[in-house]
Amino acid sequence: MGEQTPGGDEKTTKATKAAKAAPVKPKAASVKKAAAKKVRAAAKKAAPAKAAAPVKRAGAARTVEVRPPSGESRTALVRRARRINRELAEVYPYAHPELDFESPFQLIVATVLSAQTTDLRVNQTTPALFAKYPTPEDLAAANPEEVEEILRPTGFFRAKTKSVIGLSKALVEDFGGEVPGRLEDLVKLPGVGRKTAFVVLGNAFGRPGITVDTHFQRLVRRFAWTDETDPDKIEAAIGALFPKSDWTDLSHHVIWHGRRICHARKPACGACPIAPLCPAYGEGETDPEKAKKLLKYEKGGFPGQRLNPPQAYLDAGGRPAPPLGAG
C-alpha cells in the first residue's frame, strides 16, 4: 500500500467532518416527526370526547339511552343504585306524596286528576270538589256540568269529569263505596292504571309499589339503572334492584329529585348531591352558582306543591302552596 499525500489527508479530513455533520439533518427531521406523532396521538385521544358530546345534550327530544358505566357489573349496579337512594333519602328526608288527601278516595281522585297537569293545580282545585262531593256516592250522583266547572283549572276537565264520576260509580257499585286495597281491583276502575294504583297502595294503604311517572322514567335512565322505556318494564327492572320495602319511598325520592334538581330540560348538575354517582353528569348546568338558580320548590326557596303538607316538611323549612286564586 502506498503512502497518502498531504492533499489526500486534507480531503479525508473534510469528508469525515462532512460525514459527522450530515446526520444532524436527519436527526432534526426525526424530532419533527416525533413531535407531529405526539400531536396526532393527542388529537386521537381528544376525538372520542367530541364524539361523545352529543350524548350530553339536554332537550325534550332527547332519545339517547344512558347505559351503565363501562364494565359495571350487576352487583356494582345494585350497590350504586342503593347508594343513590340513600343519598336522596338524606337530601329529602321529608319526601311525601305531593297530592293533598285525607282518605283513599281523595287520593285516588286527585291522582286521576293529576294527569297532564301539576300536583299544585290539583291541590288548589280539589278542596272545592271534596267540599261539595265528600264521598263516592256524592260524586257518582253529581251533575257533570257542575263538576266540569270545578275541574276546569286542571285542564281536560270534560274527560276528567267523566273519569272521576265513572270511578265513583264503580266504587259504589262494585266495592260498596270503598277504595279497594288490591292492585288487581284498582286497575279495573275507570281511569286507573298501574301508576295510579301504586300511588294509592303505597300512600293510602302502606303497601309497597313503584310509581313510574315521567320524572321517575327520566331519572332512572339518567342514573343508568335501566334503558327500558316501557313503564311496566321499568317498574320490573327497578324493582329488581331494591328490596320491596324500599319501593314507595324510593319513588318519592326519585320524583322529588326530578322536580327539584334533575329537571327535564335544564338539570342543575352543579347543585346535584349525587353528581359523583351519575353517569349523565354534564347534561345540564355544571357551574355551581348558575345551577343554584335552576333549583325549584323548597330547594330554591319557593313554596311546595301541597296546601296542607306533612309537619315534617314544614319543620324542614318547606312552605305550603297558596290556594287557588291567592296572590
Side-chain angles (χ1 to χ4, degrees), residues 14 17 50 58 63 94-95 120 127 137 147 188 219-220 226 238 257-258 277 295 302 314 327:
K14 288 181 179 179
K17 289 181 179 180
K50 289 184 179 180
T63 57
Y94 43 75
L120 171 58
E137 290 82 2
V147 177
K188 293 177 183 177
L219 265 64
V220 296
T226 181
I238 304 308
H257 193 58
L277 301 170
L295 301 181
F302 302 106
L314 299 174

Side-chain angles (χ1 to χ4, degrees), residues 280-293:
Y281 174 79
E283 285 190 9
E285 180 56 65
T286 57
D287 180 84
E289 293 304 316
K290 292 180 180 178
K292 284 181 182 178
K293 296 178 181 179

Side-chain angles (χ1 to χ4, degrees), residues 137-220:
E137 290 82 2
D138 295 322
L139 192 51
N143 181 333
E145 292 182 359
E146 293 179 359
V147 177
E148 285 179 4
E149 195 57 35
I150 295 174
L151 299 184
R152 186 180 293 271
T154 67
F156 303 96
F157 57 92
R158 291 189 179 88
K160 290 180 180 180
T161 294
K162 185 177 180 180
S163 292
V164 296
I165 289 179
L167 166 65
S168 299
K169 287 180 178 179
L171 289 175
V172 172
E173 295 170 3
D174 301 333
F175 299 99
E178 298 291 332
V179 176
R182 299 194 311 165
L183 176 64
E184 54 266 38
D185 292 330
L186 286 168
V187 295
K188 293 177 183 177
L189 296 169
V192 177
R194 290 179 69 86
K195 183 189 83 171
T196 297
F198 281 130
V199 169
V200 175
L201 288 174
N203 298 290
F205 293 99
R207 296 175 184 172
I210 294 177
T211 304
V212 185
D213 72 350
T214 55
H215 300 289
F216 194 92
Q217 291 183 49
R218 180 177 74 253
L219 265 64
V220 296

Side-chain angles (χ1 to χ4, degrees), residues 36-62:
K37 190 174 182 181
K38 288 182 179 180
V39 171
R40 288 194 296 272
K44 286 182 179 180
K45 287 182 179 180
K50 289 184 179 180
V55 177
K56 295 185 177 182
R57 187 175 56 231
R62 181 178 177 278

